[in-house]
Amino acid sequence: YKPAFKTINFAAIPFLREPMKLDCDLAKWKDIPGLPMCVNDRKERRLKVVEPQYVKVAWDNAGFYFLYDVKDADGRIKKVFAHNFWEGDAVEIFIDARNTKDKAREAVWTQQFWVWPFGATDAANSTGGEAICSASGKQFLYISYKSDKIQRAAKPTSEGWVMEVRIPAGVTDGSRVRVA
């Protein structure tokens, strides 16, 4: 499906009739097209980047699924804490249900998640979390999640790592903590 309108990014993601097992088996994703990813380097360091890289996305009535097959140029897994999740090996998932492109992720229709392939520095069983930004854009709250909120399966590869992620619909329904 291709829309008649022009936009920065648009993709129709396939609906799954049955839940997908998270086991890092790439074969089940073969018919789902990849969407291009970009590297976010907040400290503007010169990173050695292997591009292009893609994410595959699907959904069912219970949530969203993502597949990442990451080519990691430095060849090492870097674990970090929730308050600096962007400095380690992680992916960020932004949900903007109204396509408003709000920078403050305080509105119920905008959410920012992160997922670590192999946990945090202080908690190997932490799968990722959610970053919530106040309406002013000056205050952030970083909430770590375990597998009851974000499920993932990951394994190292010769070039980096593969990770499958499931974010249940209940986590993306906007019923979360507010930042004053």
Side-chain angles (χ1 to χ4, degrees):
Y1 171 76
K2 290 194 178 198
F5 58 88
K6 299 285 183 199
T7 183
I8 297 171
N9 287 312
F10 177 86
I13 60 173
F15 175 76
L16 304 172
R17 295 183 190 273
E18 296 183 19
M20 188 180 289
K21 181 180 179 183
L22 302 182
D23 57 7
C24 295
D25 178 8
L26 303 180
K28 66 180 171 267
W29 291 89
K30 68 178 174 54
D31 295 327
I32 297 176
L35 306 171
M37 292 191 301
C38 63
V39 172
N40 184 6
D41 186 11
R42 294 182 186 205
K43 290 191 175 188
E44 298 184 20
R45 296 168 291 167
R46 295 287 178 207
L47 289 179
K48 185 177 176 186
V49 178
V50 178
E51 289 197 67
Q53 296 200 41
Y54 298 90
V55 58
K56 294 187 175 198
V57 184
W59 68 285
D60 65 16
N61 287 329
F64 294 96
Y65 296 86
F66 303 87
L67 170 70
Y68 299 92
D69 186 1
V70 174
K71 311 304 184 247
D72 192 351
D74 69 7
R76 62 185 176 91
I77 300 298
K78 183 177 179 188
K79 291 185 177 187
V80 294
F81 299 93
H83 68 271
N84 67 334
F85 69 86
W86 56 87
E87 292 181 6
D89 279 74
V91 296
E92 290 181 82
I93 300 167
F94 293 88
I95 296 177
D96 183 359
R98 292 187 181 171
N99 197 27
T100 60
K101 300 187 181 30
D102 288 331
K103 293 193 186 314
R105 289 165 303 284
E106 194 255 351
V108 296
W109 56 83
T110 60
Q111 287 179 275
Q112 176 188 1
F113 298 99
W114 77 86
V115 186
W116 291 304
F118 305 106
T121 298
D122 59 341
N125 62 345
S126 182
T127 56
E130 185 172 1
I132 300 171
C133 181
S134 67
S136 69
K138 295 181 180 178
Q139 187 175 11
F140 282 86
L141 178 63
Y142 303 108
I143 304 170
S144 289
Y145 291 150
K146 294 183 178 159
S147 61
D148 62 327
K149 297 282 187 184
I150 297 176
Q151 294 88 46
R152 60 115 162 85
K155 69 177 184 179
T157 66
S158 62
E159 297 180 290
W161 42 269
V162 170
M163 179 170 65
E164 286 181 297
V165 176
R166 179 177 176 271
I167 299 180
V171 178
T172 62
D173 67 0
S175 60
R176 62 187 193 268
V177 176
R178 293 278 167 242
V179 178

